[in-house]
Amino acid sequence: MRNRPTALVLYNWRGQWPMRRWERQRIFAWKSHFPGRAVFFNIGFPFDPAWITALDPELVLIDATALATRHAPKGWGALARAIAAVPPGARRVAAPLDEFLSLQRLRDFLVEARVDLLLTAVEPALWDSLYPAADRPYAIRRILTAYIDAPLVRLARRVSPDLAQRPIAVSYRAWQAPAWLGEMGVLKREVGLRAAAWADREGHRADVAVDGERRLAGDAWIRLLGASRAVAGVEGGSSLLDPAGDLPMDEVAPLVAGSGWTPPPSTVVLTGSAQVRALSPRHLEAAVTRTFQVLVEGDYSGVLEAGTHYQPVRRDLSDIEAALDCSRDLTQAQAVVDRAYGEIVASGRYSWRTAVTEIARQVLA
Amino acid sequence: MSAPSRRLLLGLRLREWAGWALIVVEAHWRTAPPPLRALLRGVARFGPVRRWIRID
């Protein structure tokens, strides 16, 4: 007889080191917080499915990296083999990100893999349009794209002095946003450029890169946040929905910076509240490092409140300079970041411990 | 349900560690200068290492 449940975490990772901190946290949070034994299984390497059958787990978590193989050239077959080897009694949980990509393939997989619970960062109002209730034999639970853990809080405490002692006025990083992110991709790039222009005009020091240059991984990003008085930002997500998986996902994908790109006819252009938006991990990281957030107005998964936890900017960015100017009033800015820290970080509401414990309780009940 | 064997758990843990060692190697190879990368790719083509380590 076994007395501790076993959780099998399926993920897919090759060739990138160091990992971004929040991705490592997401995969390995189960090691620290699952009330039982957590076994990690990288499907990116060759394996014998019999190992999974012999493990006989009570719970199988399919991480976003494993599900992302649906729009990658390699790995989808490996995920199918791994899932086929899972004993029928195991509870199956899928936690995708970027659900706007290859959505139909994801929907089909969730049904074929007999997933019991779907964890999604998409707001509940959009669930029925992304996952029609008639074709949904699984439960859905909303999660955040990331949570906070104790090592992050300890690191932030070491590298984040009071705002008055920080040398950088504003920082920002964005990857080379592909054109298929639509308006959301344009905003991701534009908000950084406008923040850099503000700093340049006012004679402040900025650390901004919007084309994937000076990419920061591991603790380096946290250290940059801790050295910055303000950080610009926008919700993560996309304004294009790609049910058929027709968007170009390889290295030749057209970039937001380019022009003249037309989305394939199978894609759906989303506007307004229909856009897929969610709080990004960086917003929680900025709350932990007590960095003043100047963000494009949005819901931020219900975690951040405009005016209370961040300084809002209109979606046309017309008032971004005024919002960034607010970071110069250090007393006021310090009060905002301290309030955000108290309500979001110190409260423990958004910790990995709470999230994993609640998911495990729901699935294993 | 019976508990998984210690041998299986140990084997899976060793596979994880070996996997991460390979990932670090791959990441360094990918950032190597192009001539060195081409040389490594050529050497790897002669052995089973290509199947385990992604150089491209």
Side-chain angles (χ1 to χ4, degrees), chain A residues 21 149-160 222 288 341:
Chain A
R21 199 171 205 290
D149 68 357
L152 173 62
V153 175
R154 283 198 296 272
L155 171 65
R157 205 173 286 150
R158 283 204 310 275
V159 302
S160 312
I222 305 301
V288 177
Y341 186 91

Side-chain angles (χ1 to χ4, degrees), chain A residues 66-358:
Chain A
L67 292 164
T69 57
R70 72 185 183 278
H71 50 71
K74 293 176 183 171
W76 189 241
L79 179 59
R81 283 195 302 125
I83 289 298
V86 173
R91 308 287 289 175
R92 298 149 195 239
V93 181
L97 288 174
D98 295 343
E99 291 142 280
F100 48 88
L101 298 170
S102 304
L103 178 61
Q104 190 55 49
R105 189 178 271 198
L106 175 63
R107 286 175 184 153
D108 294 342
F109 172 81
L110 296 174
V111 175
E112 288 162 13
R114 299 195 307 277
V115 164
D116 298 290
L117 177 66
L118 171 68
L119 304 175
T120 178
V122 173
E123 59 182 295
L126 297 178
W127 286 358
D128 284 348
S129 59
L130 265 62
Y131 305 101
D135 308 320
R136 202 169 71 199
Y138 43 85
I140 302 189
R141 180 191 178 100
R142 191 181 193 185
I143 58 160
L144 301 181
T145 52
Y147 289 88
I148 298 162
D149 68 357
L152 173 62
V153 175
R154 283 198 296 272
L155 171 65
R157 205 173 286 150
R158 283 204 310 275
V159 302
S160 312
D162 285 346
L163 293 182
Q165 297 169 37
R166 302 189 186 192
I168 300 171
V170 64
S171 60
Y172 184 73
R173 284 291 185 280
W175 59 312
Q176 278 190 302
W180 43 255
L181 283 178
E183 185 217 350
M184 296 289 288
V186 174
L187 266 178
K188 279 178 205 292
R189 179 181 162 83
E190 202 59 30
V191 75
L193 293 175
R194 294 286 292 272
W198 168 82
D200 191 41
R201 192 168 49 252
E202 301 288 329
H204 298 311
R205 184 175 161 196
D207 193 332
V208 173
V210 296
D211 294 320
E213 300 159 1
R214 289 181 282 149
R215 180 175 175 271
L216 297 174
D219 294 345
W221 168 244
I222 305 301
R223 291 179 192 281
L224 175 62
L225 283 176
S228 306
R229 294 195 288 279
V231 62
V234 59
E235 283 172 297
S238 175
S239 37
L240 274 187
L241 192 64
D242 176 31
D246 288 340
L247 288 175
M249 298 300 302
D250 51 19
E251 288 173 359
V252 296
L255 301 175
V256 152
S259 60
W261 181 76
T262 310
S266 62
T267 56
V268 181
V269 178
L270 307 171
T271 56
S273 61
Q275 289 180 334
V276 180
R277 300 182 199 162
L279 175 100
S280 284
R282 62 175 67 191
H283 303 128
L284 288 179
E285 291 164 343
V288 177
T289 58
R290 299 177 195 249
T291 307
F292 187 73
Q293 301 195 67
V294 176
L295 306 178
V296 175
E297 59 192 357
D299 180 55
Y300 291 90
S301 302
V303 176
L304 299 183
E305 201 175 305
T308 304
H309 303 130
Y310 72 93
Q311 186 66 35
V313 175
R314 282 196 282 270
R315 288 193 79 77
D316 61 4
L317 306 183
S318 59
D319 57 349
I320 190 169
E321 284 83 7
L324 285 163
D325 281 338
C326 294
S327 67
R328 296 164 68 179
D329 181 345
L330 293 178
T331 308
Q332 187 70 21
Q334 189 70 51
V336 171
V337 299
D338 287 346
R339 190 161 52 234
Y341 186 91
E343 294 178 7
I344 294 166
V345 183
S347 70
R349 287 171 66 193
Y350 304 110
S351 70
W352 271 117
R353 175 182 297 280
T354 306
V356 171
T357 305
E358 287 182 358

